[in-house]
Amino acid sequence: MLETEGVTKSFGGVHALRGVDFSLARGEIHALVGENGAGKSTLIKVLTGVHRPDSGAVRFAGAEVEFHRPAEAQRAGISTIYQEVNLVPLLSVARNVFLGREPRTRFGLIDTAKMNRGAAELVGSLGVDIDVTGELGRLGLGVQQMVALARAMSVDSRVVIMDEPTSSLEAKEVATLFQVARDLAGRGVGIVFVSHRLDELWRLCDRVTVLRDGRRVHTGPMTELDRVTLVAHMLGRDAGEVARGGATGFEGKHDRDREPVLTADGLEVRNRLHGVGLSVRPGEVLGLGGLLGSGRSETVKAVYGALPVRSGSVEVGGRRVRPNSVRHALRAGIALLSEDRKAEGIIPGLSVRDNIALAVLPRLSRAGILSERRIDELVDTFVRRLRIKVANPRQPVRELSGGNQQKVLIARWLCTEPTVFLLDEPTRGIDVGAKAEVQALIDELAGQGLAVVLVSSEMDELVEGADRILVLHDGTVTGELAGDRMTGAALLAALAGHAGSGEEGSDE
């Protein structure tokens, strides 16, 4: 159905793809994996007309094609669902589903009633119960991702490319997406599936292609690979070396026999949080677990002052933090790494240097004049410390891989010399190598005495990385795991106890 032969693509002398061969059969679900920067996104953009290859050929349905823009690929029958939802937040759900293809009346006007009915049917088939006339931007990331899937389904596609479609989804939504993918494949649609959640590949995919440094290093049936061998292909390491590592980059628990540095009590946010309280000691990693909508992200945003708190208090080092004030939280020593790297993190038009220095510019100026030397010294220090892979610090941050963009954001907040670091899904959407580096960095920061709050949807990350775990449900703390109870089974039971069924919990 879709094929590349010897495709090569470079950007400013940097080789993103080097003679890549790839093939997708009709009705096949084909995994495309590799570390960040391996060439996956570039290959997808070549297939969908965002980039044209420097050399090599692309064939679709047996004929050689040259797509000059994504609209041409879409008209030919290739749809793409991106990890970072590329919809219009200020428009309604229905308008997003049919954007550019709105049904028309015989007078040429948009047939709003027909459009709304069609959108409601599509999102309803995905198990999503929402008002399709409402503004998309008011919905959570997981629901927005399902809307993106509905949009892809609304096109009569012969190929669907799913780029990290589950990164913002909970277990029930993942199960729905997998069923949709299987139904599409059963109708002869070819699916390219990109995911850093490796366990998903064996549940869904028929074959896998591994890219490393812009080259294809393996293609074959999923059933012929185990996890260790797959990761070894991705990292270019010996399988035995990979097997000796744990499931995460965390190494152990931390020294936390001191008084809490952060204390939050009775946090109330309208319709979101109901009396949430927590405390974290210097050098401790406190995990926040829960299903989608449980209040994990809302909790750290409330502590940071980014959500309007109706009541409750936050103290750092025994001193009260002014509620609903991000500026006061920063001055008190609280930093927040948001889960939405695109919308609330990086500024893509700025350089790596400017993105890192952004939060501390007042400290780097005298009489309103910035010290370029001090900025360069600070940025160079964190680029080396966090091993950010960048051609030079003035390179646009949008050109970096997801894992390196995440490191840039971590560097930005470490520049503020925080006492408390709130990390909301710090490893979401990054590859296994970068994920291990970020997890090891969290260990290092805790070892240096930083108080860390870790929000994660991955059980291994919470169990192996946190010293305690608070479990949330519907905006309320419903349990705490510590000591011998810090196991995957115990966390799964705590989550499933509020999920409605054990089956949903097991998918998580």
Side-chain angles (χ1 to χ4, degrees):
M1 178 64 73
L2 186 62
E3 181 182 16
T4 69
E5 182 179 351
V7 164
T8 297
K9 182 65 181 179
S10 298
F11 300 95
V14 178
H15 292 284
L17 296 175
R18 304 168 186 256
V20 172
D21 296 335
F22 175 81
S23 65
L24 174 71
R26 189 185 308 274
E28 177 188 30
I29 304 178
H30 194 130
L32 179 64
V33 301
E35 289 194 274
N36 285 116
K40 305 186 302 295
S41 295
T42 303
L43 180 60
I44 288 172
K45 290 176 179 178
V46 167
L47 293 173
T48 56
V50 177
H51 298 319
R52 297 179 66 186
D54 299 331
S55 61
V58 178
R59 298 187 182 90
F60 181 56
E64 189 165 330
V65 293
E66 282 191 24
F67 298 130
H68 295 84
R69 57 187 62 87
E72 294 179 5
Q74 190 176 84
R75 284 195 295 269
I78 301 176
S79 294
T80 308
I81 305 169
Y82 293 100
Q83 171 191 354
E84 294 174 334
V85 179
N86 59 334
L87 300 177
V88 186
L90 295 179
L91 294 182
S92 71
V93 170
R95 285 296 302 271
N96 273 282
V97 170
F98 290 103
L99 191 62
R101 301 172 291 104
E102 296 89 348
R104 301 279 175 172
T105 67
R106 59 193 182 94
F107 301 109
L109 302 175
I110 295 176
D111 190 336
T112 303
K114 183 176 180 181
M115 180 178 67
N116 290 340
R117 285 197 304 272
E121 290 176 4
L122 282 168
V123 298
S125 69
L126 298 177
V128 179
D129 183 16
I130 54 175
D131 177 10
V132 297
T133 66
E135 195 175 287
L136 178 75
R138 296 183 181 275
L139 303 175
L141 276 178
V143 179
Q144 290 188 36
Q145 190 66 278
M146 299 303 278
V147 172
L149 175 59
R151 174 175 169 79
M153 290 172 56
S154 71
V155 181
D156 188 16
S157 303
R158 301 162 75 183
V159 168
V160 176
I161 299 173
M162 298 183 175
D163 186 3
E164 293 284 349
T166 65
S167 62
S168 301
L169 303 183
E170 285 293 346
K172 184 176 180 180
E173 295 166 319
V174 170
T176 299
L177 183 140
F178 282 8
Q179 188 56 54
V180 169
R182 295 184 187 106
D183 291 344
L184 290 172
R187 300 203 300 265
V189 176
I191 296 175
V192 180
F193 186 79
V194 181
S195 179
H196 290 308
R197 294 179 173 180
L198 300 186
D199 293 341
E200 296 178 348
L201 307 184
W202 280 273
R203 292 169 55 192
L204 183 66
C205 300
D206 304 305
R207 283 196 300 158
V208 60
T209 289
V210 183
L211 299 182
R212 188 174 70 243
D213 296 328
R215 293 186 171 91
R216 186 190 67 155
V217 295
H218 176 83
T219 294
M222 284 301 312
T223 53
E224 294 182 0
L225 286 179
D226 57 26
R227 184 187 177 96
V228 169
T229 306
L230 178 60
V231 173
H233 281 313
M234 293 169 64
L235 301 181
R237 298 176 185 168
D238 179 76
E241 178 186 352
V242 175
R244 287 191 292 273
T248 69
F250 294 109
E251 294 187 357
K253 304 305 177 185
H254 312 100
D255 177 20
R256 51 190 178 90
D257 294 329
R258 284 179 277 181
E259 290 298 310
V261 65
L262 170 71
T263 303
D265 186 54
L267 294 178
E268 292 277 347
V269 176
R270 185 175 182 180
N271 298 327
R272 298 191 183 187
L273 298 180
H274 312 288
V276 169
L278 58 86
S279 64
V280 197
R281 297 176 175 87
E284 180 182 32
V285 179
L286 174 68
L288 296 186
L291 302 178
L292 189 68
S294 62
R296 299 169 306 178
S297 297
E298 289 81 359
T299 296
V300 292
K301 285 184 176 180
V303 170
Y304 188 60
L307 273 183
V309 175
R310 303 175 70 179
S311 62
S313 64
V314 175
E315 294 183 357
V316 175
R319 301 184 65 178
R320 188 83 173 256
V321 179
R322 185 185 305 161
N324 308 324
S325 172
V326 170
R327 177 176 296 185
H328 203 259
L330 274 171
R331 289 176 177 171
I334 303 175
L336 168 65
L337 182 75
S338 171
E339 68 169 332
D340 194 340
R341 184 168 60 233
K342 178 180 178 182
E344 300 175 343
I346 66 165
I347 301 177
L350 296 183
S351 66
V352 170
R353 174 183 183 271
D354 291 343
N355 268 276
I356 290 177
L358 197 60
V360 290
L361 290 180
R363 280 178 24 203
L364 302 176
S365 65
R366 290 181 180 175
I369 299 174
L370 285 172
S371 169
E372 299 293 329
R373 179 185 58 80
R374 293 177 69 195
I375 292 175
D376 289 337
E377 290 175 352
L378 183 73
V379 170
D380 288 343
T381 297
F382 280 99
V383 166
R384 288 195 304 271
R385 180 181 175 187
L386 272 62
R387 295 184 292 277
I388 301 172
K389 296 178 182 177
V390 58
N392 67 75
R394 296 183 185 272
Q395 180 180 358
V397 73
R398 64 173 175 267
E399 296 179 359
L400 270 58
S401 66
N404 283 296
Q405 288 181 3
Q406 195 74 312
K407 290 182 184 179
V408 166
L409 292 178
I410 292 174
R412 175 193 294 172
W413 298 117
L414 289 180
C415 286
T416 67
E417 300 178 356
T419 304
V420 179
F421 206 169
L422 312 173
L423 300 171
D424 194 355
E425 300 285 5
T427 63
R428 170 173 286 167
I430 62 178
D431 65 75
V432 290
K435 182 178 290 188
E437 289 182 354
V438 170
Q439 291 163 340
L441 176 62
I442 295 171
D443 254 353
E444 179 186 334
L445 294 173
Q448 293 170 357
L450 197 63
V452 178
V453 179
L454 174 64
V455 177
S456 180
S457 299
E458 299 192 23
M459 285 194 298
D460 287 340
E461 193 161 71
L462 287 177
V463 170
E464 296 187 18
D467 301 296
R468 289 184 296 126
I469 301 174
L470 293 185
V471 180
L472 289 94
H473 172 71
D474 198 21
T476 303
V477 176
T478 58
E480 178 177 335
L481 303 179
D484 293 340
R485 296 191 63 229
M486 288 272 295
T487 65
L491 178 56
L492 189 61
L495 296 176
H498 296 284
S501 74
E503 185 177 347
E504 181 178 327
S506 64
D507 278 342
E508 172 78 0

